[in-house]
Amino acid sequence: MRFTGNSDAKADAKGRVFLPAAFRKILLAEREEGLILRPDFFQKQCLVLYPLSVWNTMVDELTQHTNPFDRKGRAVLRSVVAESENVSLDSDGRILIPKRYLEKVGITSEVRFIGMDNTIEIWSKQAAENIVEDHDAFADDLEALFNATD
């Protein structure tokens, strides 16, 4: 499963927002039963929507790397799981983003969905427009990334 591209939408007063049709089609084709929403691990202004199968694989891997008697590892696992929320598509193709998440990432109305491999990022439209770095810096980062693996 691969999500690509981006799409803008508007959240209503209750926090409901239409998931882009292209992303809904992928979820339906993959027969995804549920979705998990949580703040991104690295970007403070971003939420991540995980198809349930992707979420379960990630949590299983984290659990395998966590000794039940390791305080630090258990704290990380707890934080990952406790900050997550089950969400589902309603009959109109919308998800409900909890108010605490909207506030945490600064979404007031305009939302940008960004396909990010097997997950979907959710940003305020304004914050998403600020994440694009200049072309030369992007090219340098891409070059460094691929040269680092040689």
Side-chain angles (χ1 to χ4, degrees), residues 69-82:
F69 301 103
D70 173 24
R71 286 184 208 168
K72 192 179 235 179
R74 297 301 288 180
V76 168
L77 178 61
R78 183 178 305 107
S79 179
V80 167
V81 175

Side-chain angles (χ1 to χ4, degrees), residues 67-106:
N67 180 328
F69 301 103
D70 173 24
R71 286 184 208 168
K72 192 179 235 179
R74 297 301 288 180
V76 168
L77 178 61
R78 183 178 305 107
S79 179
V80 167
V81 175
E83 282 289 313
S84 66
E85 179 90 20
N86 287 298
V87 296
S88 58
L89 290 170
D90 67 13
S91 59
D92 293 325
R94 300 174 298 185
I95 60 168
L96 175 65
I97 301 174
K99 188 173 183 172
R100 71 182 185 282
Y101 287 166
L102 293 171
E103 292 171 353
K104 188 172 195 157
V105 299

